[in-house]
Amino acid sequence: MKWKQSYHGWLIEIIPMPKGYLFQCWLPDEKTGFSDRQIYPTFTQAFAAAKKRADLEAVSLALIRFLSQSYEPCNLSSDEYKALETSIVNFVQQASRTQMHNSPTLLTQNQILCFYKNTTSQIQILRISHSTNCDFEQIVFPGEQMLFEAFPQAELEIHMDSTTGATLINKILCSNLQVYG
């Protein structure tokens, strides 16, 4: 069964395959989309790759839009405009290929798939403690949902921003956030 989630104006679709997961990203019209056609071993890896690719595409579209709106006022020739546009497109293609080849393999052995939803009206900062994945830090907006992999004994730390900095407000054992089925 396909899984869909909105992400910064894109619709990300994760599709289970016999040997893993594939992603597709769509513009809101669901007629224009892209995929790297790579099968990722875990749902989390496919979702992370989809978010990175959506970010790259969003930046590319914004830069090209800016370029097309400002090339005349900036006195760029048609050839200069085309060269800059080609450079932007080539950068996104190269960055996408680099992302595919350099994506770190997660330690999936004994890890579980976890789900968290920010049910508050404030932005939260999530961190995982007691884990080998010590660099995990994610900002979660009100109402936003997220899936992640962690070891069952790891703890999800929930922080909120305050006038004195980020304040730890809760810790949840990742085994209590496990997705079943």
Side-chain angles (χ1 to χ4, degrees), residues 1-177:
M1 180 174 183
K2 294 179 183 179
W3 179 86
K4 295 181 180 182
Q5 180 171 335
S6 178
Y7 175 76
H8 300 295
W10 295 93
L11 178 64
I12 294 178
E13 188 175 48
I14 306 295
I15 304 159
M17 304 298 283
K19 293 186 178 184
Y21 298 87
L22 175 81
F23 77 79
Q24 292 181 329
C25 295
W26 301 94
L27 288 174
D29 64 5
E30 292 192 42
K31 294 178 185 172
T32 306
F34 55 84
S35 173
D36 63 6
R37 297 188 190 121
Q38 175 152 340
I39 305 295
Y40 292 87
T42 68
F43 177 94
T44 304
Q45 287 173 316
F47 187 56
K51 290 193 311 185
K52 285 180 184 176
R53 182 65 190 271
D55 288 341
L56 275 170
E57 292 294 333
V59 166
S60 171
L61 291 172
L63 285 171
I64 290 172
R65 187 177 309 119
F66 172 77
L67 187 61
S68 69
Q69 292 171 350
S70 60
Y71 89 94
E72 285 179 4
C74 293
N75 296 320
L76 292 175
S77 70
S78 178
D79 289 340
E80 290 170 323
Y81 170 80
K82 288 177 187 174
L84 285 169
E85 183 180 42
T86 300
S87 177
I88 293 167
V89 170
N90 289 342
F91 170 77
V92 169
Q93 289 173 345
Q94 182 61 38
S96 297
R97 279 194 290 273
T98 302
Q99 173 189 329
M100 279 175 38
H101 297 301
N102 293 341
S103 60
T105 304
L106 296 177
L107 297 170
T108 57
Q109 190 176 28
N110 299 323
Q111 286 191 339
I112 57 173
L113 182 63
C114 302
F115 172 83
Y116 178 78
K117 180 177 181 178
N118 180 354
T119 58
T120 72
S121 60
Q122 294 183 301
I123 295 173
Q124 296 178 337
I125 302 165
L126 305 182
R127 294 185 184 115
I128 294 181
S129 62
H130 303 1
S131 172
T132 59
N133 191 9
C134 57
D135 63 344
F136 178 88
E137 183 171 286
Q138 181 76 37
I139 294 174
V140 183
F141 292 92
E144 188 175 7
Q145 304 170 20
M146 66 173 291
L147 290 165
F148 61 94
E149 286 184 330
F151 291 101
Q153 69 275 15
E155 291 182 317
L156 181 70
E157 294 181 354
I158 303 163
H159 300 260
M160 283 195 186
D161 203 17
S162 67
T163 55
T164 59
T167 303
L168 178 65
I169 60 162
N170 199 3
K171 281 187 177 186
I172 304 171
L173 195 60
C174 289
S175 62
N176 294 335
L177 301 170

